[in-house]
């Protein structure tokens, strides 16, 4: 019998770690991959591997130690695998029989249970559908009641309450609430037309009533209507309100130069705040220059004539020159009139402003020359 301890080069009392280390060391030397075509080395490796397989397994090592020390050992148990039972054992079981009556009963019970569950579910769906339809009818009835109240207010001339009720309805279903939709559209159109017509006819207070309603309850898409509202405020002396609406128009980039002139004139003529008036006149001047350069190029000052520009431009520069005079800035006033006389040579206002500017500077002869030009026109 081979001595596995001798083969691995370890004493019988060697630990598992020592056995493993010895095997690895010998395997590196005798492995067939290290010694190709060397039968002796291959046989030597087989002995080393066999010795390791025995000594690394506690159970096999114990049997080997008994055999090595005492010359005998318990034979290794031979395992037998279970075999299928003999045919007569399998035939001991009787073939199952089918009880057709019980089977039918089970089927009927299952069908009945399914039917009852389906009936309950369908009943629940039906009840919920009925409940939802009742709630929908109640909702539509409430909305119809609001709509009828709005019609009553409209007939009595109370537009504020009419709009308040109709806006409270929120979105209107065009299929189920066609009459409401038609009424609301007609309400907005009628209010718009009455506001515009009253403004054109000079009935500014009435125009304000309709335009304020429109501005309060709708988003006025036509900014010209907001312009009419601002002008109506100005005509009726409501300057704070006029300034507020004109400022809204500026934020929407509506007729910027026109709105600057309107705000400047309100502060100059209605409020008497010349500094604020100058602020808007100068903002208008910047807007006008940007407009001129965008349309006519950098050389606009040698191209422009009065008939190429709206009246707002003349009001802008005449107003700017006048406000410079009121704020004791005659040089700036004279400079602006030079531009005005170039573009609008037939407008005599420019000569009067220039004359006053020269007078403030003490240049009496220049002032007289401007007055002479005024009287000669």
């Amino acid at each position: 019998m081979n001595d596995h301890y001798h083969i691995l080069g370890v004493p019988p009392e060697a630990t598992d770690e020592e056995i493993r280390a010895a095997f690895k060391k010998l395997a590196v030397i005798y492995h067939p991959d290290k010694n190709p075509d060397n039968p002796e080395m291959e046989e030597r490796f087989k002995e080393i591997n066999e010795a390791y397989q025995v000594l690394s397994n506690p159970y096999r090592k114990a049997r080997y130690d008994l055999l090595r020390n005492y010359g005998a050992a318990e034979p290794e148990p031979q395992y037998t695998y279970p075999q299928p039972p003999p045919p007569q054992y399998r035939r001991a079981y009787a073939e199952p029989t089918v009880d057709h009556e019980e089977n039918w009963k089970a089927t009927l019970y299952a069908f009945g249970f399914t039917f009852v569950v389906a009936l309950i579910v369908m009943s629940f769906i039906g009840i919920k559908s009925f409940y939802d339809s009742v709630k929908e009818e109640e909702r539509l009835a409430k909305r119809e009641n609001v709509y009828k109240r709005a019609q009553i207010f409209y007939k009595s001339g109370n537009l504020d309450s009419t709009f308040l009720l109709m806006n409270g309805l929120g979105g209107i279903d065009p299929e189920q609430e066609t009459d409401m939709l038609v009424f609301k559209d007609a309400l907005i159109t009628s209010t718009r037309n009455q506001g515009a017509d009253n403004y054109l006819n000079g009935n500014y207070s009435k125009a304000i009533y309709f335009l304020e309603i429109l501005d309060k309850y709708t988003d006025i898409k036509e900014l010209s209507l907001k312009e009419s509202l601002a002008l109506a405020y100005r005509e009726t002396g409501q300057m704070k309100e006029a300034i507020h609406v004109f400022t809204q128009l500026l934020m929407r980039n509506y007729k910027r130069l026109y709105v600057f002139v309107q705000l400047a004139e309100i502060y100059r003529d209605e409020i008497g705040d010349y500094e604020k008036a100058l602020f808007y006149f100068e903002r208008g001047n910047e807007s006008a220059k940007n407009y001129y350069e965008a349309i006519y190029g950098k050389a606009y000052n040698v191209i422009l004539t009065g008939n190429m520009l709206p009246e707002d431009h003349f009001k802008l520069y005449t107003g700017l020159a006048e406000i410079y005079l009121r704020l004791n800035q005659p040089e700036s006033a004279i400079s602006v009139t030079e531009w005005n006389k170039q573009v609008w040579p037939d407008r005599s206002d420019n000569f009067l402003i220039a004359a006053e500017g020269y007078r403030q500077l003490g240049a009496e002869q220049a002032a007289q020359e401007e007055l002479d030009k005024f009287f000669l026109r």
Side-chain angles (χ1 to χ4, degrees), residues 36-61:
D37 301 325
N38 192 332
E40 292 181 4
M41 289 293 188
E42 185 176 351
E43 288 299 321
R44 176 64 173 155
F45 179 76
K46 288 180 180 179
E47 291 178 354
I48 294 168
N49 186 53
E50 181 183 359
Y52 177 71
Q53 295 299 325
V54 171
L55 297 182
S56 64
N57 186 315
Y59 175 71
R60 295 183 68 183
K61 182 176 182 296

Side-chain angles (χ1 to χ4, degrees), residues 176-218:
Q176 297 190 70
E177 301 173 326
T178 306
D179 52 344
M180 294 184 193
L181 193 60
V182 171
F183 175 76
K184 188 173 183 178
D185 289 343
L187 175 65
I188 294 173
T189 301
S190 173
T191 305
R192 176 207 174 283
N193 291 341
Q194 291 187 72
D197 291 345
N198 277 286
Y199 175 79
L200 292 175
N201 293 326
N203 300 320
Y204 300 118
S205 295
K206 287 186 177 181
I208 289 172
Y209 170 74
F210 291 109
L211 294 175
E212 277 185 340
I213 292 288
L214 207 61
D215 192 45
K216 181 178 180 181
Y217 292 106
T218 69

